[in-house]
C-alpha cells in the first residue's frame, strides 16, 4: 500500500523512527520477516535502502504459494486436468510451476480454471454448475484458512455436494520452531505476521521468545508499521528483553479472532506437511476432518500422492530458511524470472525471489 | 506443445516475446520495426497508420462501451504519434445471438465518438461467427492520419527531460474489472476512455519529444518500452502519481498496482524541461487534462531502466508487467 | 502472506455485509466477525472480514496511520 | 428480442439489410456510401482503403490457410478497385490455447503471401481472449493502395458491356466445406486463394470498366450488387460458367449452387465489348487467369436484375443469396 | 443439376422432345409435379418457358418442409429450446417459421442446433455427447424415411440411448388420393416422384391411373428426363391410356427397394398426419413403433401436442393442392420472401413459392 | 423433394462404402443396398445409398443421360 500523498507528518515520523534505528543499531542485527506481504511492503517502499547497514532484513517462509511442495502442485494439476472438474483458485496460483506445467498452461490446453477472489465465488460457481465438480485449491496460512473453513461448513450445511477443497493449508508456528531450532540460522529477531496473528493471536508464537530467546513484533504493513517494529525489536535488544510484542495493535490482539479459530478447529485438523525446500514438518499442515470427508477433494477423487522431485537448481529452500538472498541463487534473473519461474518463490508477487526481482534489481545488475 | 496463454495478450513481457520471436522474425521490415503507436508511411503526404482490435468484456461499462473504445484507441494511437487522425476503418466480428439493440447502441456510440474525434469512418466489414465462437462482439479499427507536426518519437528522449501524464491513472481498467463476472463490485470510478487529439492539439508545441498512451500494461510497462526504445533511464515519483481514491481502494482490494492498469484516455508526454511548465499549464486548460501532472524525469543511467522513488525516499525498479495482471490475495 | 485491507461496514444482511473501500463497495462475508456493526471498520481478506479494526487503539496510538482511514472517508 | 443470426454474415440479403439499417443509418458518409471493395480517399495522392476480418474455420485448408487468405482478401479488394496495394495492417485475435506452432505457420504464410503480392505489412496488433471466447484465430487486415489507373466502378457499366471471370468458380468454398466438422469429404478441389494484383496488372487496359472479387455470396450475389449499383441488367450464360467437375460434384452432393459459393482468387471484370477479346487473351497469358471466360453480357432491362440463360435456352432470375448457404437434402 | 456443358446431343434431343410435345399438345394439358425437386429442376432449367402454352406444369405438395404443419414446427421448437438438448436437422429446416420463430432464431438465442448431412452424423454427435440428448428432426417422404429408420435401428441395437427422433415423416400415396378425389383440382396427369418411387416402386401409386384415370410417369431430374416424361404423358393421352409408366428407368423399378421398405416397416407404422394447409390426412404419416419407443422424442420428452393456427394470409394449402400459382398469393414477394418467409412453401429451396421466387420472377414484376 | 445424386462405389467396408462423386469422395451407408458391389453406381441421398443405378437400362435407353456418368468419370 503506497502511503497517502504529501503526508509530511508521515515523513517526519519515518525520520524519527530511522533516527532511533540508527542510534540503536550499533552492532549487526538480523531480522527475518516471516510474512511475504512484509517482504513486498519492504521492497515496494525500498526500506532496505533506508536502513543502516547494520540492520539486515531477510525473508522467511511467509508466502503460502512459495512453500507449496511440487508434489502438491502436481497433484492439483492432475486433478485440474480431469474433464468434469472446474478448478477455482486465487490468482496467485495460476503460474506456479509443477514438475512440467502450471495452471495457466493447463487452462490453455482446455482445463476449466477460474480465478476467484473468494471462496464465496467458488461456492457460487458450484451452485451454477451442478453437473460439474468444483474444486477450490486451499492454499494459505492462518489468515486464509478460516475463509476456506467457512466455505466447507456452508457446503456441508447447504448440501453443495459438487464443491470440494484440496487442502494444502499450512500453519506458521511449527515452521517458526523449525527455524529457531536451526543452528545455522543467524536471525536475531522476527517481524511476526500481522494478519496471521489477527487470527491466532500471539500465544502460539510466544515460545519463540520464551524458549528460544528470539524477540518478535507482530507488525502491520505500512512503511511506518515496519519501521516502528524495527525500532521495537532494537529496543528489546537494547533492554535485553525477549518478548512477543504487538506493533499492529489496531488489528492484532493477544487472543486473536476466536470465531475464526473455532471454525478452523471444526473443519480442519493438524497433519504433517511437506514444505517446498524445507521437507516434512510435523503438524504444520491442515487436513480436512472426517466429518467433511465428502467435501475433501483428496478423498473424493481418491487422489494419488505424488512424489515429485524438487526443481533442480532452485534454492527456494535456502531462500525460505533465510540462508541466502534470492540474488545468491544461480538461476535468479537468468533462467528464473517471474515470467518463467523455475521455483515457486519467483511466482507469487510476495514470493521472496519475485519481490527481489521486481523491486531490488540494481541498475548495475 | 507450446500454446497461447492469456498472458501473451497482457501487453506485458510475454506479449513482447511473441512480437519478437514471431512477428518481427517473419514480418519485420523498416515500417513494423518502428514499434510505435502508429507507423509513419512514406509518400508525398506523410501518413501515419495504426491498427487495434478491441475485445473488451463486458461490452458496456461505466464511462463507455466497446464502440467508443474502438474509436478512441485508434484515434489516440494516431494522436500520440503526432498525426492528425483522418480516416478510420471499422471491422466487426459479431457472435450469433448478439442482441441487435446492443449492436445499435454501440454503432451509435461509434458515430458519436468519431464525430467528437473529428475522424471519418471510411470503410467497414462485418463477419458473423457461430454462438460460442466469439465473445459477443470484437471490433477492429485501423486509422490513418496525416503527419503535419514535427516528429515525435522515443529516440528524441534525453536525460533531463520531464515526464508528464495527462491525468489520473488506472481508471479504465478498474471500471472494467468492477463489472467483470465473478468480481463484481460497485465503484465510483468510470473509464477515462476519450479521444485525445483535441487535448494534444491544445498543448502540443516545440519541446514535446515523445507521446504514448499507456493502455494495456499501464504506465509502468509503457515507460519501460520508451526507456528501452529511447535508450534512457527514468525516475518516477510515486507521490506525484495522480490516482483517484477509488482506484487506490480497488487496487488494494484486488492486490493490483495502478501503475500496471490500462488507461484509455491518457497520454504520457515527454518534454524538454524548459517547456514542461507551459505544457502542463495548457493541459490543465483542457477538459481532458485537468488531472495532468509531472510524474518523473529522464536520467542518465542504465538504458531501459525505470525507477520509482518511494514516499520515504527509497528507490526501486519498476519493471514491465509480468504475465497477466490477476487479482490476488497474497 | 495475506493481503488484507480496511473497509467500512455500510450495511449488514445476515452473515453478509456491504463494505466500502475508498468508495468501492463490495459484498463480504462477516461469518468470522459476527459481532461487527454498521460504521465499524473491518479488515477484509479474500472476500471475508477477518477482524474488526480497533478504532480506539488506532486513534490513541497510531494517529498518523489513521490518515489512511481518513483517506478512505474522502473517497466515499 | 432481435438477435444477430448466422445469415447476417452470409454476404447475402440479410447482410445487406444490416448494412443499410444500421451502419449506413448511423455511420453513412460520402466515403462509406461508395460501397465498393475499397474506398477511394481524397488527397494529393489518391488512396484506396479497405478492411476485412477473416474468421475461416478450419484455419488450414486445401490450398491455403487463414493467413494467406487475410493477405489475399485485402490485396484483392484494393486491386479490383484499380489501386496498387501498398500497405497492410495486421491485427490478430488469438484464442488462449492456440498452438504456437500453428500460429507460426500462419505468420510465415502471411509473410510469403505479402511478398508474393508485393505489399508491406506496416503495423500490427495482437489480442488474446479466453479459451471459448474465439474460434482459435481471427485476423483483420486493412489495406491501403495508391490509385494510379483510370477509375473503375459500377457506375461505368453500360448495356453491351461484357462480363468476364478470371477463372473457375466456387473452388474456395468447396475446399473449406470439405474440411468442415461433420461434413468432411475428400475433394480434389483446392482453394483458389491468391493475390490478384499481378493478374490485374497483366490484363488491365482501357475498356476495363469495373472489377469485383466474388467472395462471400459468390458470383450471383456480386453481380446482383453490381447490377444494382450500376443500374443495369445482366444476362449470364449457364453453359459458359467455368466450373471444375469436383466443384460440380460437391455442389450436387450438398445441394448447393456454385454461383453462390465464395471465391478468393477470382475477379469479375466488366469490359467494353470491343476490348473483351484482348483482355481475355491477356488473362489467359497469366498463371492465375488460365480459366478465364466470358460468362455474360450487360443488357438493357430492369436495373438490378440478373438473369441466367439455361442450356436449353430458357431464362431465369438469379437473385442474391438468401440466408445462409446451407447443405440440404431437399 | 445443370447439364453437361456443350452437349450438342442433349440440345438436339431436347429439341426433338419439344417438337413432339408441340405436336401432341393440341389442347390444354395440366401436369402436376408432385415432387419439389422436380419443381426446382423445372424452374432452374426454365422449362415452363420452353413448353407450349397448352402444357401447364403446376406444383404439388412435394416438399416435406412445406407440408410440415405449424403445430409440428412449434413442437420441435419447444423441444429444441430445452437446455440439455442438441437438435440435429437437415439444413432445410433451419429457417422454417413456426408461430413466432424458427430454429435459426432459437439457435441465436442459445439453443444447440446443428445442421447435419445425414442421420449418421446425428448418431455420431450423440456418441460424442453422452451427457446430452440428441434429437433428430425426422422430416421427409419415402426417400428420406429409410435413412432415419436405419439410424433408429442402429441406436436400438447399439444402445445409443441419448439419441431420439421426432418423426414428422409423411408418405405420398394418401395425399395423391386426396388430390385425385378433389373435384376442384384440374390436373390431367402427374409427374411422379422419381426418388420416392426408387424406394416404394410403382405399385402404391397405381390406383391413380387405375381408380382415377390419372396417368403418371415416374420421372428423373434432368431437364431431358422431365421433357421425356411430358412426352410420355402426352402420348398416353393421345393413345387414350392411363398408366403409371417409368421414365426414370435407371433408378426406379416397379418393385422399388425392398431393403428400404423392410426397415421402414420395421421401425415405423402408419399414423394420421396433419399437412400444412391440407389438414389431417388419414394414414399419411409415419409414427415410431412401440418397439422403438425409447428413441421416440415425442414419447421420451412427453411432448405436448400443439394446436398452432395456420399462418394468417398464407395460401400454402392452395398452392400445395395446385389450386393457385404461388404468385397468386397476396403475400408472395412482398411480406413473404425466402429471407423472411411467411409460409413454409417459401422456406425450402424446393418449396413451390421459393422456387417461383428464385427462378420465375419476371423483370416486369 | 429429395436430392439424390449418382456416385460410384470405390470401396466397401461392412455397411459403409466410400463413393466418388466427380472426384469427391465421401463415406456413405450401404445399409439400404447391401447387394451393391465396387464399381457400381448408386444413388446417394442424405449420406445413404438408396438405390443401385441400373447401368444396363441406362446404357440401352438413355445414352444421352449417361454423359452425366461420363462426366463423373472425368472428374475422378
Ligand atoms: S530465483 Fe528461482 S530458482 Fe532461484 S531460488 Fe528463487 S525461485 Fe528458486
Ligand atoms: S408466398 Fe408465402 S405466404 Fe404466400 S403461399 Fe407461399 S409461403 Fe405462403
Ligand atoms: Mg498506444
Ligand atoms: Mg495501434
Ligand atoms: Mg492502441
Ligand atoms: Mg468485407
Ligand atoms: Mg459467448
Ligand atoms: Mg471484395
Ligand atoms: Mg474489404
Ligand atoms: Mg473482401
Ligand atoms: Mg495494439
Ligand atoms: Mg473454440
Amino acid at each position: 500500500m503506497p502511503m497517502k500523498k504529501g503526508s509530511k507528518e508521515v515523513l517526519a515520523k519515518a525520520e524519527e523512527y530511522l533516527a532511533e534505528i540508527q542510534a540503536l543499531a550499533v552492532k549487526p542485527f538480523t531480522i527475518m520477516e516471516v510474512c511475504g506481504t512484509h517482504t513486498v511492503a519492504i521492497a515496494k517502499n525500498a526500506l532496505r535502502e533506508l536502513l543502516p547497514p547494520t540492520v539486515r532484513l531477510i525473508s522467511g517462509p511467509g508466502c503460502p504459494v512459495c512453500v507449496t511442495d511440487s508434489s502438491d502442485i502436481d497433484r492439483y494439476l492432475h486433478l485440474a486436468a480431469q474433464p468434469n472438474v472446474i478448478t477455482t483458485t486465487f490468482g496467485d496460483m495460476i503460474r506456479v510451476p509443477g514438475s512440467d506445467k502450471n495452471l495457466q498452461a493447463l487452462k490453455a490446453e482446455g482445463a476449466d480454471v477460474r480465478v476467484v477472489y473468494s471462496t464465496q465465488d467458488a461456492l457460487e460457481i458450484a451452485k451454477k454448475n451442478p453437473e460439474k465438480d468444483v474444486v477450490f485449491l486451499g492454499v494459505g496460512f492462518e489468515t486464509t484458512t478460516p475463509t476456506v473453513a467457512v466455505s466447507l461448513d456452508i457446503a456441508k450445511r447447504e448440501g453443495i455436494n459438487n464443491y470440494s477443497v484440496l487442502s494444502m493449508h499450512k500453519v506458521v508456528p511449527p515452521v517458526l520452531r523449525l527455524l529457531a531450532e536451526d543452528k545455522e540460522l543467524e536471525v536475531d529477531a522476527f517481524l511476526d505476521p500481522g494478519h496471521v496473528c489477527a487470527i491466532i493471536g500471539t500465544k502460539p508464537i510466544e515460545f519463540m521468545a520464551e524458549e528460544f530467546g528470539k524477540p518478535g513484533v507482530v507488525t502491520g504493513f505500512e512503511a511506518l508499521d515496519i519501521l516502528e517494529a524495527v525500532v521495537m525489536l532494537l529496543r528489546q535488544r537494547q533492554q535485553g528483553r525477549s518478548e512477543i510484542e504487538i506493533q499492529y495493535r489496531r488489528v492484532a490482539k493477544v487472543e486473536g479472532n476466536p470465531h475464526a479459530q473455532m471454525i478452523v478447529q471444526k473443519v480442519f485438523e493438524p497433519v504433517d506437511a511437506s514444505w517446498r525446500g524445507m521437507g516434512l514438518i510435523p503438524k504444520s499442515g491442515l487436513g480436512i476432518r472426517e466429518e467433511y470427508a465428502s467435501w475433501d477433494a483428496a478423498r473424493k477423487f481418491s487422489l494419488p500422492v505424488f512424489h515429485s522431485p524438487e526443481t533442480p537448481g532452485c534454492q527456494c529452500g535456502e531462500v525460505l530458511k533465510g540462508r541466502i538472498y534470492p540474488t545468491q541463487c544461480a538461476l535468479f534473473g537468468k533462467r528464473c524470472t517471474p515470467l518463467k519461474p523455475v521455483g515457486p518463490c519467483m511466482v507469487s508477487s510476495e514470493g521472496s525471489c519475485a519481490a527481489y526481482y521486481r523491486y531490488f534489481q540494481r541498475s548495475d545488475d | 506443445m507450446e500454446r497461447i496463454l492469456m498472458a501473451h495478450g497482457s501487453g506485458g513481457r510475454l506479449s513482447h516475446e511473441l512480437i519478437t520471436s514471431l512477428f518481427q522474425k517473419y514480418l519485420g521490415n523498416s515500417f513494423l520495426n518502428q514499434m510505435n503507436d502508429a507507423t509513419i508511411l512514406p509518400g508525398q503526404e506523410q501518413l501515419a497508420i495504426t491498427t487495434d482490435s478491441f475485445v473488451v468484456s463486458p461490452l458496456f461499462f461505466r464511462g463507455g462501451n466497446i464502440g467508443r473504445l474502438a474509436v478512441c484507441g485508434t484515434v489516440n494511437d494516431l494522436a500520440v504519434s503526432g498525426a492528425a487522425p483522418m480516416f478510420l476503418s471499422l471491422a466487426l466480428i459479431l457472435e450469433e445471438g448478439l442482441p441487435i439493440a446492443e449492436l445499435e447502441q454501440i454503432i451509435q456510440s461509434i458515430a458519436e465518438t468519431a464525430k467528437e474525434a473529428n475522424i471519418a469512418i471510411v470503410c467497414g466489414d462485418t463477419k458473423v461467427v457461430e454462438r460460442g465462437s466469439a465473445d459477443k462482439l470484437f471490433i477492429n479499427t485501423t486509422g490513418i492520419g496525416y503527419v503535419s507536426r514535427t516528429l515525435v518519437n522515443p529516440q528524441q528522449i534525453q536525460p533531463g527531460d520531464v515526464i508528464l501524464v495527462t491525468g489520473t491513472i488506472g481508471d479504465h481498467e478498474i471500471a472494467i474489472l468492477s463489472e467483470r463476472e465473478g468480481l463484481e463490485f460497485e465503484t465510483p470510478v468510470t473509464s477515462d476512455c476519450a479521444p485525445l487529439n483535441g487535448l494534444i492539439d491544445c498543448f502540443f508545441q516545440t519541446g514535446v519529444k515523445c507521446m504514448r498512451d499507456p493502455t494495456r500494461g499501464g504506465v509502468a510497462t509503457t515507460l519501460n518500452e520508451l526507456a528501452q526504445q529511447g535508450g534512457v533511464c527514468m525516475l518516477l515519483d510515486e507521490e506525484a502519481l495522480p490516482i483517484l481514491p477509488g482506484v487506490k481502494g480497488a487496487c488494494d482490494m484486488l492486490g493490483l498496482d495502478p501503475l500496471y492498469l490500462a488507461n484509455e484516455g491518457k497520454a504520457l508526454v515527454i518534454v524538454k524541461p524548459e517547456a514542461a511548465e507551459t505544457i502542463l499549464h495548457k493541459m490543465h486548460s483542457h477538459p481532458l487534462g485537468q488531472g495532468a501532472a509531472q510524474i518523473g524525469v529522464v536520467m542518465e543511467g542504465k538504458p531501459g531502466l525505470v525507477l520509482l522513488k518511494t514516499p520515504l525516499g527509497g528507490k526501486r525498479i519498476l519493471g514491465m508487467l509480468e504475465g497477466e495482471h490477476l487479482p490476488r490475495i497474497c | 502472506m495475506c493481503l488484507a485491507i480496511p473497509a467500512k461496514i455500510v450495511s449488514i444482511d445476515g452473515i453478509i455485509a456491504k463494505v466500502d473501500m475508498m468508495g468501492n463497495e463490495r459484498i463480504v462475508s462477516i461469518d468470522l466477525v459476527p459481532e461487527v456493526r454498521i460504521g465499524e471498520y473491518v479488515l477484509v481478506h479474500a472476500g471475508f472480514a477477518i477482524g474488526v479494526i480497533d478504532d480506539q487503539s488506532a486513534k490513541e496510538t497510531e494517529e498518523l496511520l489513521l490518515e489512511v482511514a481518513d483517506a478512505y472517508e474522502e473517497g466515499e
Side-chain angles (χ1 to χ4, degrees), chain A, chain B, chain C:
Chain A
M1 263 186 271
M3 244 176 287
K4 190 167 179 312
K5 273 196 301 174
S7 165
K8 281 199 196 113
E9 296 90 338
V10 170
L11 218 59
K13 193 77 192 166
E15 274 162 20
E16 198 184 309
Y17 287 142
L18 285 166
E20 188 170 350
I21 291 168
Q22 191 75 46
L24 290 172
V26 284
K27 49 178 188 166
F29 192 57
T30 300
I31 306 173
M32 173 178 275
E33 79 267 4
V34 174
C35 173
T37 309
H38 280 145
T39 305
V40 172
I42 290 165
K44 244 188 152 170
N45 289 291
L47 294 183
R48 272 185 187 75
E49 252 188 75
L50 305 177
L51 294 173
T54 41
V55 178
R56 189 179 164 226
L57 296 181
I58 66 172
S59 307
C63 162
V65 172
C66 305
V67 298
T68 303
D69 200 65
S70 305
S71 308
D72 284 334
I73 298 173
D74 286 343
R75 200 171 186 217
Y76 74 65
L77 291 173
H78 169 82
L79 176 56
Q82 307 301 314
N84 203 44
V85 165
I86 300 177
T87 303
T88 56
T89 175
F90 294 133
D92 314 64
M93 304 303 290
I94 281 288
R95 284 185 296 131
V96 192
S99 296
D100 65 62
K101 60 180 60 159
N102 59 16
L103 278 175
Q104 172 181 246
L106 216 59
K107 177 160 173 272
E109 285 170 17
D112 194 342
V113 177
R114 308 197 192 170
V115 170
V116 294
Y117 174 65
S118 161
T119 52
Q120 294 172 294
D121 303 336
L123 281 176
E124 268 321 300
I125 291 172
K127 286 188 206 160
K128 277 192 194 147
N129 296 276
E131 78 292 357
K132 300 272 188 178
D133 278 310
V134 175
V135 177
F136 179 79
L137 301 185
V139 171
F141 291 127
E142 286 91 336
T143 317
T144 312
T145 313
T147 73
V148 179
V150 167
S151 79
L152 282 166
D153 203 42
I154 291 175
K156 183 175 181 184
R157 207 166 55 226
E158 299 186 7
I160 307 172
N161 297 327
N162 64 326
Y163 176 79
S164 60
V165 169
L166 184 63
S167 176
M168 295 165 279
H169 288 292
K170 297 193 174 48
V171 290
V172 167
V175 73
L176 286 181
R177 178 173 291 276
L178 189 86
L179 289 169
E181 284 169 347
D182 188 334
K183 299 267 151 9
E184 287 176 55
L185 188 78
E186 290 177 19
V187 169
D188 301 304
F190 288 85
L191 288 184
D192 287 319
H195 293 147
V196 164
C197 293
I199 301 294
I200 63 171
T202 51
K203 272 222 194 74
I205 59 171
E206 257 160 16
F207 71 91
M208 291 292 285
E210 289 168 10
E211 274 182 52
F212 295 96
K214 299 288 181 192
V217 169
V218 176
T219 310
F221 301 88
E222 299 289 332
L224 284 192
D225 287 327
I226 296 167
L227 292 178
E228 186 184 6
V230 172
V231 169
M232 289 168 74
L233 287 170
L234 283 164
R235 280 186 197 150
Q236 286 204 35
R237 176 172 74 170
Q238 197 206 23
Q239 298 162 7
R241 286 186 290 124
S242 171
E243 294 165 20
I244 305 299
E245 291 178 301
I246 301 179
Q247 176 278 332
Y248 197 26
R249 286 177 297 282
R250 62 193 183 283
V251 162
K253 308 280 170 262
V254 172
E255 70 279 9
N257 179 335
H259 300 287
Q261 293 164 19
M262 219 152 56
I263 184 75
V264 169
Q265 172 70 16
K266 183 177 172 196
V267 174
F268 291 105
E269 63 192 353
V271 293
D272 299 347
S274 280
W275 292 52
R276 163 84 70 155
M278 308 186 75
L280 196 81
I281 307 182
K283 304 293 172 203
S284 69
L286 291 173
I288 296 173
R289 286 188 189 276
E290 186 59 38
E291 294 88 321
Y292 294 84
S294 306
W295 294 270
D296 177 356
R299 290 177 175 116
K300 182 170 179 177
F301 298 95
S302 309
L303 288 182
V305 172
F306 282 70
H307 299 283
S308 313
E310 300 268 309
T311 321
C314 171
Q315 306 211 53
C316 273
E318 300 302 295
V319 170
L320 295 177
K321 287 184 203 143
R323 289 226 185 89
I324 64 168
Y325 279 119
T327 43
Q328 290 173 272
C329 168
L331 307 185
F332 179 87
K334 301 188 178 71
R335 267 187 43 219
C336 184
T337 64
L339 197 60
K340 298 225 163 155
V342 172
C345 299
M346 192 55 99
V347 175
S348 162
S349 64
E350 55 164 337
S352 300
C353 296
Y356 268 71
Y357 185 89
R358 223 175 285 264
Y359 305 119
F360 295 138
Q361 281 180 304
R362 280 286 80 99
S363 50
D364 48 29
D365 272 359
Chain B
M1 178 172 44
E2 290 264 15
R3 292 176 181 271
I4 290 293
L5 309 176
M6 286 305 293
H8 281 111
S10 64
R13 206 177 287 272
L14 214 49
S15 308
H16 282 78
E17 260 193 36
L18 195 65
I19 289 173
T20 325
S21 70
L22 226 55
F23 305 136
Q24 289 197 324
K25 174 174 170 198
Y26 291 108
L27 307 174
N29 60 37
S30 63
F31 301 114
L32 261 191
N33 297 350
Q34 291 179 24
M35 294 287 284
N36 291 329
D37 295 279
T39 305
I40 308 297
L41 301 177
Q44 290 175 258
E45 287 164 308
Q46 218 168 29
L47 295 179
I49 181 170
T50 187
T51 191
D52 261 303
S53 298
F54 297 84
V55 296
V56 66
S57 173
L59 299 182
F60 297 88
F61 46 83
R62 281 178 66 88
N65 60 53
I66 190 173
R68 178 165 175 81
L69 201 59
V71 175
C72 294
T74 292
V75 162
N76 292 349
D77 275 344
L78 291 171
V80 294
S81 303
M86 296 294 295
F87 307 115
L88 199 67
S89 71
L90 175 69
L92 309 175
I93 297 175
L94 312 178
E95 184 187 9
E96 177 189 24
L98 178 71
I100 291 184
E102 288 187 20
L103 179 59
E104 180 155 12
Q105 236 181 300
I106 289 163
I107 298 295
Q108 218 169 334
S109 178
I110 288 172
E112 286 161 15
T113 312
K115 201 170 162 199
E116 180 183 345
N118 197 23
I119 193 165
I121 294 170
V122 294
C123 61
D125 176 55
T126 309
K127 296 292 186 306
V128 179
V129 297
E130 299 257 353
R131 186 178 263 269
S133 287
D135 189 12
K136 296 191 186 79
L137 169 61
F138 299 147
I139 301 183
N140 175 277
T141 53
T142 302
I144 293 177
Y146 290 136
V147 185
S148 51
R149 300 210 165 95
T150 51
L151 277 182
V152 289
N153 57 47
Q155 285 70 40
Q156 300 184 41
I157 305 175
Q158 287 176 314
D161 288 346
V162 164
I163 304 167
L164 310 178
V165 68
T166 59
T168 53
I169 66 176
D171 307 6
H172 174 72
E173 190 157 340
I174 291 301
I176 297 290
L177 281 176
S178 75
E179 308 197 36
R180 174 156 305 168
E181 215 199 315
L183 208 71
E184 292 89 349
F185 59 95
E186 284 167 50
T187 184
V189 180
T190 58
S191 167
D192 56 354
C193 180
L196 291 173
N197 48 340
L199 169 63
I200 291 173
D201 286 347
C202 164
F203 72 70
F204 197 91
Q205 63 160 58
T206 326
V208 173
K209 296 184 152 189
C210 182
M211 302 187 278
R212 190 156 287 181
D213 56 336
T215 52
R216 277 187 299 180
V219 166
T221 306
T222 304
L223 287 179
N224 268 274
E225 290 166 7
L226 289 182
Q228 275 164 27
Q229 289 182 272
V232 293
C233 174
M234 293 178 174
L235 177 65
L236 292 198
D237 181 357
E238 186 168 347
E239 285 202 298
L241 297 172
I243 302 175
L244 291 174
V247 170
K248 187 184 164 344
C251 279
D252 288 350
M253 175 171 84
L254 302 172
L256 301 175
D257 185 337
L259 280 162
Y260 294 93
L261 295 180
N263 307 275
E264 290 292 346
K266 299 293 151 46
L268 290 164
V269 185
I270 319 263
V271 305
K272 279 191 184 155
E274 54 271 29
E277 200 177 329
T278 323
I279 291 171
L280 206 48
H281 188 76
K282 288 184 187 169
M283 286 178 180
H284 289 145
S285 76
H286 191 278
L288 292 176
Q290 296 300 303
Q294 171 173 342
I295 60 170
V297 292
V298 180
M299 303 191 308
E300 302 281 357
K302 187 181 171 192
L305 187 71
V306 180
L307 296 169
L308 182 79
K309 188 161 69 71
T310 70
L312 297 187
K315 283 188 203 134
R316 59 176 170 98
I317 289 193
L318 197 63
M320 286 201 149
L321 180 61
E322 306 280 347
E324 264 182 293
H325 205 199
L326 290 174
R328 12 172 233 104
I329 56 131
C330 285
Chain C
M1 82 199 75
C2 321
L3 277 176
I5 67 156
K8 187 179 181 177
I9 301 280
V10 173
S11 65
I12 295 178
D13 178 11
I15 56 153
I16 290 298
K18 183 179 262 184
V19 298
D20 179 293
M21 290 163 283
M22 293 177 108
N24 302 288
E25 296 192 332
R26 205 200 192 262
I27 295 300
V28 301
S29 163
I30 53 167
D31 238 310
L32 301 172
V33 289
E35 74 278 15
V36 80
R37 285 183 306 183
I38 292 176
E40 288 185 319
Y41 281 85
V42 291
L43 204 65
V44 174
H45 170 72
F48 285 72
I50 59 163
V52 181
I53 296 180
D54 181 351
D55 205 33
Q56 192 61 21
S57 96
K59 280 227 177 77
E60 280 170 18
T61 64
E62 294 149 3
E63 280 155 25
L64 288 169
L65 288 168
L66 255 194
E67 296 203 9
V68 175
D70 289 347
Y72 278 69
E73 304 273 0
E74 284 163 28
E76 280 180 10

